[in-house]
Amino acid sequence: MVVYILCLSCLVQQASTSASNDINSPNFLENDEIPATLLPLLKDMFTQQWPVLKNTAEALTDWREKNASTENTSHFIPRTIGQHSFKIGRGQTGNVEEQRFISSFHQYKLQRVLDVFNSIEKPSLELTSLLEEVGGLEYIRLTVKERVAFERNRLVFELG
């Protein structure tokens, strides 16, 4: 899942780069396009993985609220904070629903993608159309209530 999140971050950056030659904001090749063969993978990613990521962010917010009176929330977040459902497969008959652990680290990776998208002052029509086509526009506009960060190689809630 983390690999897909990083790939999406790169695609968002690619679709939003300006025509600048600044070394701090490199350009991609002119007319560099996302291959059509990648679109089904992106659609699957948004259909199957982003609901899990959205639920992870919601679960971390709930976990922090429920554990607000304990010392645990002022320091490190556990690697897992319970379980939730996920679906995988295609179509009505191909879907399988199972349980998995809620990995708090996935929110950190999610935040990186959202931060890249939110750093774009005015997303291009090309970028928003691509996200709409692959079913990701709603998800990429997700707001994470309780952001996380790393402290001494462990996940913590950001002080806000």
Side-chain angles (χ1 to χ4, degrees):
M1 183 177 299
V2 173
V3 171
Y4 285 117
I5 294 170
L6 290 175
C7 287
L8 179 63
S9 181
C10 291
L11 290 172
V12 168
Q13 283 180 321
Q14 176 181 354
S16 67
T17 53
S18 65
S20 165
N21 287 328
D22 183 354
I23 195 165
N24 294 319
S25 57
N27 291 325
F28 290 88
L29 297 173
E30 191 172 324
N31 297 322
D32 191 22
E33 296 180 5
I34 297 168
T37 54
L38 188 57
L39 296 179
L41 295 172
L42 292 171
K43 288 177 184 178
D44 281 350
M45 183 183 69
F46 280 112
T47 301
Q48 297 177 24
Q49 295 177 345
W50 277 68
V52 170
L53 295 171
K54 180 180 178 187
N55 183 265
T56 298
E58 292 166 352
L60 266 171
T61 297
D62 291 344
W63 183 87
R64 187 174 194 187
E65 289 172 5
K66 289 177 185 171
N67 294 282
S69 61
T70 67
E71 288 184 21
N72 200 23
T73 57
S74 64
H75 277 73
F76 304 115
I77 302 169
R79 290 179 187 221
T80 62
I81 57 164
Q83 290 190 348
H84 58 181
S85 297
F86 72 97
K87 290 182 183 177
I88 193 165
R90 293 189 180 143
Q92 297 294 333
T93 59
N95 283 337
V96 174
E97 185 169 343
E98 289 293 334
Q99 292 284 308
R100 59 170 271 159
F101 286 106
I102 302 171
S103 173
S104 54
F105 179 71
H106 287 165
Q107 180 174 312
Y108 176 77
K109 297 306 240 178
L110 169 66
Q111 286 173 196
R112 292 180 61 192
V113 174
L114 297 176
D115 289 348
V116 168
F117 182 78
N118 291 325
S119 72
I120 304 167
E121 194 170 308
K122 187 175 189 284
S124 68
L125 179 59
E126 182 182 32
L127 174 58
T128 55
S129 296
L130 170 68
L131 289 169
E132 182 95 41
E133 182 180 349
V134 297
L137 190 56
E138 172 192 343
Y139 288 117
I140 203 75
R141 292 182 172 154
L142 178 69
T143 301
V144 175
K145 289 171 103 179
E146 299 288 346
R147 291 180 57 90
V148 297
F150 273 99
E151 179 181 298
R152 297 191 310 250
N153 291 327
R154 302 223 18 221
L155 212 55
V156 297
F157 288 106
E158 286 184 357
L159 299 176

